[in-house]
Amino acid sequence: MGKKKLIAISNMTAPAVGQLDGRRREPRTRRKNPNRAQARMGYTFSAGYGILLVLFGLLPTLYAIFLAFTHEGAFVGLDNFVRVFNDYRFWPAVQHVAVYLVIWLTFQTIFVVLLALIVHAFRARWMSMSTRFVYYIPGALAGASSVMLWLFLLDPSVSPVSGILRALGMDSFVETVSIENLPVIFTIIAFWTGAGGWIVIMYGALNNISQEVMEAARVDGAGAVKTAWYIQLPLLRKWISYMGIMTLAAGTQLFVEPRILSQASKGVVPGDYSLNQLAYLYAFRQNDFNGSAAISLILLVVALGLAAFFVFRGGLFERD
């Protein structure tokens, strides 16, 4: 191969030095990792919650554990728990809260899911939006104001539904708020104030179900009931579990409703109706903070156990 041919090949395969120098070089910029930026933003947003959780959740819990196992700073083992268990007011309060939780949890789970399915089935958008708004309105009332409203509704002498109350054999306010009626009354109040928000949440969860899945069910001939039973309810399982956990957490803290009814009925509703009321009496009437902490710790353990049951049975943390 001659010298001229070699020079020609080298000119074809290798750019000239002048061409390299004249090429516009791209400025080197450090690309931001989007995952890292999102993680940093997530930590920033959750930091506030974490600080409040430590200050008003974790530290008070640790202090309650310390109080529950001590008396005047000395370790006493389970003495505070034994004293609470032997209190004649403790087991009736446990029974009241347990009956209320069973009725409320069952009632809320069935009717919230049923109403969410009905609202989701509305074809007309205006009707769906109006219904959700109407459901949500009672939730805008705070707990105490809601109970004050119900005081008038439960008094047959002034209630607009006095005919229904008298038909049920309740001719006076005292008869209406008798002990055996209270779990149902508290369930109706809690459902009236809290169900609207859960219906909106369930409605959002139903909207996340794939349209292809719903269309396939219709093509296979599934009606509204079969679609709800075999498609929508299984896919709502996590949300139902979440609602169950939050309902249990709120139900074990029953305090405002029986306390206001106790004052309004002049003692017909006992001041130690719920465990939270009993803990309040221990702390601020009997000056026994150790016993109050023991009741609080019992409530915490029971609530955590029931929440764990819902988490594992409902697959709350499973990935789809």
Side-chain angles (χ1 to χ4, degrees):
M1 186 178 293
K3 186 176 180 182
K4 291 182 178 180
K5 194 172 182 178
L6 287 174
I7 293 172
I9 292 172
S10 65
N11 288 337
M12 290 173 61
T13 55
V17 175
Q19 290 177 345
L20 281 175
D21 292 336
R23 185 181 297 170
R24 185 178 180 182
R25 295 182 177 179
E26 295 289 337
R28 291 185 177 181
T29 56
R30 296 182 62 184
R31 293 184 178 179
K32 293 183 178 179
N33 187 341
N35 293 330
R36 187 177 298 175
Q38 288 179 357
R40 193 161 46 240
M41 189 63 68
Y43 289 135
T44 303
F45 276 107
S46 60
Y49 172 76
I51 293 171
L52 293 175
L53 178 65
V54 171
L55 290 178
F56 301 105
L58 185 59
L59 292 180
T61 301
L62 294 175
Y63 186 56
I65 293 173
F66 170 76
L67 287 177
F69 290 98
T70 59
H71 182 69
E72 296 181 351
F75 181 73
V76 294
L78 299 176
D79 287 358
N80 293 320
F81 294 93
V82 173
R83 188 173 70 258
V84 168
F85 289 147
N86 291 330
D87 191 322
Y88 70 95
R89 300 168 295 179
F90 178 77
W91 292 109
V94 171
Q95 182 183 356
H96 295 154
V97 175
V99 173
Y100 164 64
L101 277 177
V102 170
I103 296 175
W104 182 31
L105 192 59
T106 306
F107 191 82
Q108 172 146 307
T109 303
I110 293 174
F111 282 95
V112 162
V113 174
L114 180 63
L115 291 173
L117 289 170
I118 292 173
V119 173
H120 188 260
F122 287 153
R123 297 292 181 186
R125 187 176 179 183
W126 67 268
M127 192 171 181
S128 175
M129 291 178 62
S130 304
T131 310
R132 277 180 283 153
F133 178 72
V134 170
Y135 285 156
Y136 193 73
I137 287 177
L141 295 174
S145 57
S146 174
V147 177
M148 295 298 291
L149 175 64
W150 276 92
L151 286 180
F152 292 97
L153 289 175
L154 296 173
D155 189 347
S157 62
V158 295
S159 174
V161 294
S162 58
I164 298 175
L165 295 175
R166 289 197 169 91
L168 294 173
M170 305 172 193
D171 295 322
S172 65
F173 180 70
V174 172
E175 290 179 351
T176 305
V177 297
S178 60
I179 294 292
E180 58 269 19
N181 294 336
L182 288 180
V184 177
I185 291 174
F186 292 150
T187 295
I188 294 173
I189 295 174
F191 184 82
W192 185 73
T193 55
W198 284 113
I199 290 172
V200 174
I201 292 173
M202 292 294 170
Y203 177 83
L206 287 169
N207 282 336
N208 283 333
I209 297 176
S210 169
Q211 288 300 316
E212 287 80 6
V213 174
M214 299 294 291
E215 189 62 31
R218 293 191 191 97
V219 170
D220 288 342
V225 175
K226 285 189 175 180
T227 301
W229 186 258
Y230 292 107
I231 303 296
Q232 292 172 308
L233 286 181
L235 293 175
L236 284 179
R237 189 180 60 153
K238 291 182 179 179
W239 294 100
I240 295 172
S241 299
Y242 177 61
M243 181 176 67
I245 293 170
M246 300 306 292
T247 301
L248 284 170
T252 53
Q253 299 174 38
L254 182 65
F255 182 81
V256 174
E257 292 86 350
R259 180 163 176 77
I260 293 179
L261 283 181
S262 176
Q263 294 175 345
S265 64
K266 297 180 180 178
V268 174
V269 178
D272 51 9
Y273 180 83
S274 70
L275 286 171
N276 250 5
Q277 286 181 285
L278 187 58
Y280 174 84
L281 293 177
Y282 263 83
F284 300 106
R285 295 286 177 83
Q286 302 171 204
N287 202 25
D288 184 356
F289 286 91
N290 302 99
S292 178
I295 296 174
S296 302
L297 205 58
I298 293 168
L299 278 172
L300 176 65
V301 171
V302 172
L304 286 177
L306 293 173
F309 172 79
F310 276 89
V311 167
F312 290 113
R313 294 291 296 177
L316 195 62
F317 297 133
E318 293 178 2
R319 291 189 174 183
D320 295 327

